[in-house]
Amino acid sequence: MAALSFALNVMASPAADGPAADYPAADPGSAPAGQARHWDIRARLSSMLAKMPEHADRFLEAHPFDRGLWLVVAFAAGIVAWVSLPALADWIALLLASLAIALFALILLDESRFPYVRLALFGCAAMLAAGMATIWAKSELVGQPGIARPAVLTLQGKVLERREEPAKARVRLLLLARIPEFPDPVRVRVNLPIAKDLPAITEGAEIRLRARLMPPAAPMLPGAYDFARTAWFNGLAATGSALGDPTVIRTSDQGATLRAVQRSLADHVRAQLGGSPGSIAAALASGDRGAIAPADDDAMRDAGLTHLLSISGLHVSALVGAVYFLVARLLAAIPWIALRIRVPIAAALMGALAGIAYTLLTGAEVPTIRSCIGALLVLIALALGRDPLSLRMVAVGALAVMLFWPEAVLGPSFQMSFSAVIAIIAFHSAAPVKGFLTAEHHGPLVRMARNLILLLVTGVVIELALMPIGLFHFHRAGVYGALANVIAIPLTTFVTMPLIGLALLLDSVGLGAPAWWLAGKSLELLLALARFVAARPGAVTTLPAIAPWAFALFVAGMLWLALWTGKVRLWGTVPAVLAVVAMVLTPTPDILVTGDGHHVGLTGAGDDLIVLRMGRGEYMRDNLLELAGMAGTLRPIDRWSGARCNDDFCVARLQRGGRRFTLLVARSRNYIDDMALAAACERADIVVADRRLPYSCRAKMLKADRVMLANTGGLSINLTTGRVRTVAETQGGHGWYRKPPPPTFRKPVRPASSASDSASGVLPRL
């Protein structure tokens, strides 16, 4: 900045011995009027650029801030930038630019004149580069390409992990097996029907089975879940389903494993407590969610309570806090011990051990590890006599997670958990809230009412912070979650979890039945609350796929609002509100086309989504509805009055923006006469097919056949604006995205003699 300002000053100020000396800028009459104005604009621009560092330094000096918080934000921004930028050249350019800015701030900026700007530029640029380097390095070290195409193979390998999912009647196995495509053994995830399960299939066993494998799926449509990226960082090469009975070649020689203990604990809980309460109790005790019924899972999600089913900060914090409190009180009650050891340190140590044990017992998933790290930092702060609930502690925990799992920044779990904690701390540190808490009270009833109001408002703040995140990732969110959590969180934290812990403890002496009964009643109350809230009108809001820039703007505004102090933090509400408005105004796409062209969805028919094919399972239905931002059901296109179909094609007419669009969609791969198909394509604005169409088929606007979709992936089309979003534009050159192979030529499945029969009905009449 200083070098640019110096250069502009030199250009704007004539040298005494240079050619510009013949035309002094101070004398307007010595040069043409246009040239005088030109030099004047340059002089003003130079003056503004020269003063920018001074103004920025004064701003930073006048508004105290914690440098560490923004450094962690810059580290996370580097991770997001690496994933967002498409090509290797972009990654290198940003990395070099960040390092150049850091060196510029360190070498060229005067520390005595610009101390705050110098440190801010150097620190943020260096951490941005560090974030990029961290996730880039992990991608190169652990990234596992997926198989090239679907295949049916006989797998023989070692069982690394076993997860039982009774609610879906299957067992999910993670195998380390050899695949001809790779020289070394790779990880493969296979779903085994529970009817074909064998007791000997445990961690460490070697098995053989025949399975149909698929590459890790790229997003089905723009804005959909990117499983391929998750699989890349988890070292997963393929997923699939078992086709036959498995054979155990060698039983496991491992002793008791954590997974075995986890399964045993979950089975014990479900044996003591049946039905839906038992499934949820098993999830709270062991992290095993496989037995939770889909209806209960949906009710908890729509009520904004699904976070209670995942072992995360709430559960770890509740356990660690309870152990810390009980140990501290017990040791303080014994004078001989209290006088000889530091009680807070001993209590913190016991709480840490309990948190680590719980994390390992529940599977040591990344969200649980993240929560455990946060809890340990709080315990360290308590042991040292520091403020345990500070944004600096949150920043340290976030940095620790990002150093080992940088890809977690892109997931909803990381974003929602840290956003909730930041929102709580920032809200309670605000001056009005502090004044409300320290205000003079008039008895226990007033104090209780004040705490209840604060709890409710805190829930609303958390919900406002988390709802856009949920809408961005899941395209739906519970509206009444703040109200439901006011009851559900205290119920789970102070009633259900202590009762489950007490019941497990009493089971060691055979006296746990009363505690299990009480725990079951508390869980029945939790489920009743979830079902009641989820059934309320307007309980769920849905939005179509949100533009990434709007979400990034919202996150930036909320971080500004949370990390600054004083009135300047209110500036963050401007980008946050603008982002929310942009999200709400996100237009519903008119046409959705999956990457294989097999599924097509049309909106505009009320709450229902018109689809070409209904599909066999709920996965396709849920994804199409969520990405369209709709809460209705699917309706087949051949039962919709706006379309006409024959055996091979459907034609639909859509009225958008005062114009009528004609859509021609293939529904079979039968042989079609080229001339008849070309004539039909000429009358259509958009043609969609899950096969290769001949060159003679030319639509007025867009021909989305297998050839095009192999390069673009899924499509989201807005007819009013003409905007076509593709999956490929969101993936770039990252290793986890592999374009589908080009379609191969397929012979006609109908003899040529019947071509005339099909040709006459290529374009059904409306």
Side-chain angles (χ1 to χ4, degrees):
M1 188 70 72
L4 178 60
S5 175
F6 174 75
L8 291 174
N9 274 315
V10 171
M11 295 173 62
S13 303
D17 57 350
D22 296 333
Y23 301 98
D27 185 3
S30 62
Q35 186 172 348
R37 288 194 296 270
H38 174 73
W39 286 111
D40 185 56
I41 292 174
R42 285 192 173 185
R44 289 201 302 268
L45 178 60
S46 172
S47 177
M48 290 174 58
L49 291 175
K51 292 180 179 179
M52 282 183 62
E54 296 180 5
H55 291 313
D57 207 75
R58 291 174 185 171
F59 174 83
L60 295 177
E61 183 180 9
H63 302 89
F65 66 100
D66 194 327
R67 299 186 186 93
L69 305 180
W70 289 107
L71 292 179
V72 175
V73 171
F75 190 90
I79 295 173
V80 175
W82 183 82
V83 175
S84 302
L85 293 175
L88 175 65
D90 300 318
W91 309 338
I92 296 175
L94 183 57
L95 191 61
L96 293 178
S98 301
L99 295 175
I101 293 174
L103 290 175
F104 165 78
L106 188 64
I107 297 173
L108 298 180
L109 281 183
D110 188 354
E111 183 177 3
S112 61
R113 292 186 60 194
F114 313 114
Y116 294 98
V117 171
R118 182 173 181 268
L119 285 176
L121 280 179
F122 172 76
C124 290
M127 291 297 283
L128 182 74
M132 286 193 64
T134 300
I135 190 169
W136 193 351
K138 182 169 184 181
S139 176
E140 294 295 329
L141 291 173
V142 307
Q144 172 61 58
I147 59 176
R149 53 182 54 84
V152 176
L153 299 172
T154 298
L155 299 175
Q156 179 173 332
K158 182 179 181 180
V159 179
L160 299 179
E161 182 180 296
R162 169 193 171 97
R163 288 183 178 273
E164 297 178 359
E165 298 182 350
K168 297 180 180 179
R170 71 186 185 189
V171 176
R172 177 162 284 182
L173 303 176
L174 181 63
L175 305 177
L176 184 65
R178 287 190 176 274
I179 295 179
E181 190 173 335
F182 301 100
D184 299 319
V186 294
R187 292 187 172 197
V188 178
R189 195 181 72 189
V190 179
N191 293 328
L192 177 68
I194 202 166
K196 299 180 180 180
D197 184 29
L198 299 175
I201 300 179
T202 58
E203 287 85 355
E206 186 175 351
I207 66 171
R208 181 171 56 240
L209 54 79
R210 191 165 179 81
R212 184 176 187 273
L213 300 181
M214 299 287 293
M220 180 196 310
L221 292 162
Y225 172 61
D226 194 349
F227 176 69
R229 184 175 65 203
T230 303
W232 171 269
F233 285 103
N234 289 338
L236 199 61
T239 61
S241 300
L243 298 179
D245 295 326
T247 301
V248 178
I249 299 175
R250 185 181 298 108
T251 58
S252 175
D253 56 359
Q254 297 180 5
T257 62
L258 287 173
R259 288 294 183 190
V261 174
Q262 182 187 22
R263 287 195 299 272
S264 176
L265 178 60
D267 292 340
H268 174 78
V269 172
R270 287 193 289 265
Q272 301 298 318
L273 198 60
S276 296
S279 301
I280 296 179
L284 295 177
S286 67
D288 183 358
R289 298 179 54 180
I292 298 177
D296 296 334
D297 204 4
D298 292 342
M300 295 289 286
R301 179 194 60 186
D302 293 342
L305 304 178
T306 190
H307 64 94
L308 298 177
L309 302 179
S310 300
I311 303 300
S312 58
L314 175 65
H315 310 80
V316 176
S317 300
L319 176 65
V320 171
V323 172
Y324 179 90
F325 177 81
L326 292 175
V327 172
R329 288 300 179 95
L330 179 62
L331 295 180
I334 305 175
W336 188 88
I337 296 178
L339 293 174
R340 286 168 174 78
I341 66 171
R342 292 191 61 183
V343 171
I345 294 179
L349 178 61
M350 296 302 297
L353 293 176
I356 293 172
Y358 187 53
T359 299
L360 294 175
L361 183 62
T362 54
E365 301 290 343
V366 173
T368 315
I369 295 174
R370 183 180 61 245
S371 303
C372 184
I373 292 174
L376 294 180
L377 291 173
V378 171
L379 290 175
I380 293 173
L382 288 172
L384 297 177
R386 304 288 296 273
D387 182 10
L389 297 179
S390 67
L391 291 176
R392 184 172 296 183
M393 285 292 179
V394 177
V396 172
L399 183 61
V401 172
M402 290 188 290
L403 286 173
F404 294 98
W405 300 279
E407 70 279 4
V409 175
L410 306 167
S413 177
F414 178 95
Q415 296 171 9
M416 299 183 84
S417 59
F418 277 102
S419 296
V421 176
I422 291 173
I424 292 172
I425 296 175
F427 175 68
H428 283 262
S429 64
V433 178
K434 287 183 177 180
F436 181 78
L437 286 174
T438 58
E440 190 176 328
H441 59 83
H442 303 280
L445 292 179
V446 174
R447 189 187 309 113
M448 185 173 60
R450 180 181 298 161
N451 292 333
L452 182 61
I453 293 173
L454 188 62
L455 180 64
L456 179 61
V457 176
T458 302
V460 172
V461 169
I462 295 173
E463 198 68 27
L464 291 176
L466 299 187
M467 186 176 292
I469 301 176
L471 289 172
F472 177 76
H473 289 283
F474 308 117
H475 316 290
R476 60 185 294 150
V479 176
Y480 306 134
L483 298 175
N485 277 290
V486 170
I487 301 174
I489 290 179
L491 176 65
T492 304
T493 306
F494 301 113
V495 179
T496 303
M497 289 190 65
L499 284 173
I500 293 175
L502 179 62
L504 290 172
L505 183 63
L506 293 176
D507 277 346
S508 60
V509 293
L511 300 176
W516 283 120
W517 184 84
L518 292 174
K521 293 302 178 182
S522 68
L523 288 169
E524 289 177 3
L525 179 60
L526 178 66
L527 282 170
L529 174 66
R531 292 164 183 160
F532 174 80
V533 173
R536 297 307 93 200
V540 179
T541 182
T542 58
L543 283 180
I546 297 170
W549 67 264
F551 180 67
L553 185 64
F554 171 79
V555 173
M558 295 304 291
L559 285 173
W560 185 282
L561 185 64
L563 302 187
W564 285 101
T565 57
K567 293 183 179 180
V568 70
R569 74 191 313 175
L570 298 178
W571 294 1
T573 59
V574 176
V577 170
L578 290 177
V580 170
V581 172
M583 292 179 185
V584 173
L585 297 180
T586 299
T588 300
D590 298 300
I591 304 174
L592 297 171
V593 183
T594 57
D596 57 2
H598 194 67
H599 294 278
V600 179
L602 309 177
T603 63
D607 292 334
D608 294 338
L609 182 68
I610 308 302
V611 294
L612 179 66
R613 296 177 175 89
M614 289 297 292
R616 298 179 180 177
E618 296 182 352
Y619 177 78
M620 185 65 61
R621 173 184 65 84
D622 293 342
N623 274 270
L624 287 174
L625 286 172
E626 289 174 1
L627 291 164
M630 304 175 69
T633 58
L634 302 184
R635 191 194 310 178
I637 193 171
D638 53 7
R639 299 181 185 176
W640 180 44
S641 60
R644 292 293 183 270
C645 300
N646 59 17
D647 291 340
D648 300 318
F649 284 88
C650 286
V651 60
R653 301 195 185 277
L654 305 175
Q655 195 77 22
R656 299 290 188 274
R659 180 184 170 187
R660 188 172 65 176
F661 297 87
T662 301
L663 175 66
L664 181 65
V665 187
R667 61 189 311 208
S668 78
R669 295 189 177 183
N670 296 333
Y671 177 84
I672 304 296
D673 180 72
D674 285 353
M675 294 186 62
L677 181 59
C681 292
E682 285 183 359
R683 298 194 294 272
D685 295 293
I686 299 175
V687 178
V688 179
D690 60 350
R691 61 178 177 177
R692 176 185 173 276
L693 297 177
Y695 179 77
S696 59
C697 175
R698 301 183 182 181
K700 296 177 183 177
M701 295 174 56
L702 179 67
K703 182 177 77 172
D705 65 346
R706 283 289 301 276
V707 176
M708 174 186 170
L709 292 174
N711 293 317
T712 63
L715 304 177
S716 174
I717 304 172
N718 190 304
L719 296 175
T720 304
T721 62
R723 174 79 166 94
V724 179
R725 295 181 61 191
T726 69
V727 168
E729 71 186 24
T730 66
Q731 299 298 303
H734 294 92
W736 55 81
Y737 181 66
R738 180 182 295 180
K739 291 183 179 180
T744 56
F745 178 75
R746 297 175 62 92
K747 294 182 178 180
V749 297
R750 246 196 287 185
S753 60
S754 63
S756 58
D757 299 334
S758 179
S760 62
V762 170
L763 189 64
R765 294 182 179 276
L766 282 173

